């Protein structure tokens, strides 16, 4: 059944082969610096794709949840993010500066 979509897509778009061409790749995040880089990369994806001008404008991102709306109480599992940047408003400010250095 999944190959049916690939055949249709290739026919419609005059393509050949696998629809997505490459296999999914994953890398193990091993350091805090790599984790921070991943968060910035993810937050800036819609900006780099031209879908919005600022990461907080992308309504489906956690960055928008943290900075695009009035501050909210974070669920306990979300607090893990701030252990890399600090607690409270100072931690939020460091996170924002870190992500925005990639703009």
């Amino acid at each position: 059944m999944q190959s049916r979509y690939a055949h249709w897509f290739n026919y419609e778009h005059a393509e050949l082969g696998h629809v997505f061409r490459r296999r999914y790749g994953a890398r193990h995040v091993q350091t805090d610096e790599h984790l921070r880089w991943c968060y910035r990369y993810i937050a800036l994806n819609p900006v780099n794709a031209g879908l919005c001008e600022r990461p907080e404008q992308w309504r489906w991102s956690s960055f928008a949840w943290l900075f695009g709306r009035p501050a909210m109480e974070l669920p306990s599992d979300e607090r893990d993010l701030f252990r890399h940047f600090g607690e409270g408003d100072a931690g939020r400010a460091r996170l924002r500066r870190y992500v925005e250095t990639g703009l």
Side-chain angles (χ1 to χ4, degrees), residues 50-71:
L51 300 170
C52 58
E53 292 181 16
R54 308 222 13 106
E56 65 269 18
Q57 293 171 329
W58 190 247
R59 71 183 207 179
W60 293 280
S61 76
S62 59
F63 198 81
W65 185 74
L66 291 169
F67 298 105
R69 302 181 192 150

Side-chain angles (χ1 to χ4, degrees), residues 24-30 34 38:
Y24 167 77
R27 291 194 168 74
H28 182 70
V29 176
Q30 297 182 353
H34 187 200
C38 289

Side-chain angles (χ1 to χ4, degrees), residues 10-103:
N10 287 340
Y11 176 79
E12 288 293 315
H13 299 280
E15 293 281 343
L16 297 171
H18 295 285
V19 173
F20 301 109
R21 302 246 180 223
R22 293 180 289 177
R23 293 193 174 271
Y24 167 77
R27 291 194 168 74
H28 182 70
V29 176
Q30 297 182 353
T31 65
D32 287 348
E33 181 57 32
H34 187 200
L35 179 63
R36 288 188 294 269
W37 180 89
C38 289
Y39 188 79
R40 177 169 51 199
Y41 173 80
I42 291 167
L44 292 177
N45 264 343
V47 176
N48 293 331
L51 300 170
C52 58
E53 292 181 16
R54 308 222 13 106
E56 65 269 18
Q57 293 171 329
W58 190 247
R59 71 183 207 179
W60 293 280
S61 76
S62 59
F63 198 81
W65 185 74
L66 291 169
F67 298 105
R69 302 181 192 150
M72 306 161 132
E73 180 64 28
L74 292 173
S76 60
D77 59 333
E78 295 292 328
R79 289 189 189 124
D80 253 0
L81 173 63
F82 286 111
R83 78 180 171 87
H84 300 282
F85 297 97
E87 292 291 327
D89 292 339
R92 283 178 189 256
R94 279 192 285 283
L95 170 60
R96 174 172 235 152
R97 277 194 306 276
Y98 181 78
V99 169
E100 289 177 347
T101 60
L103 287 174

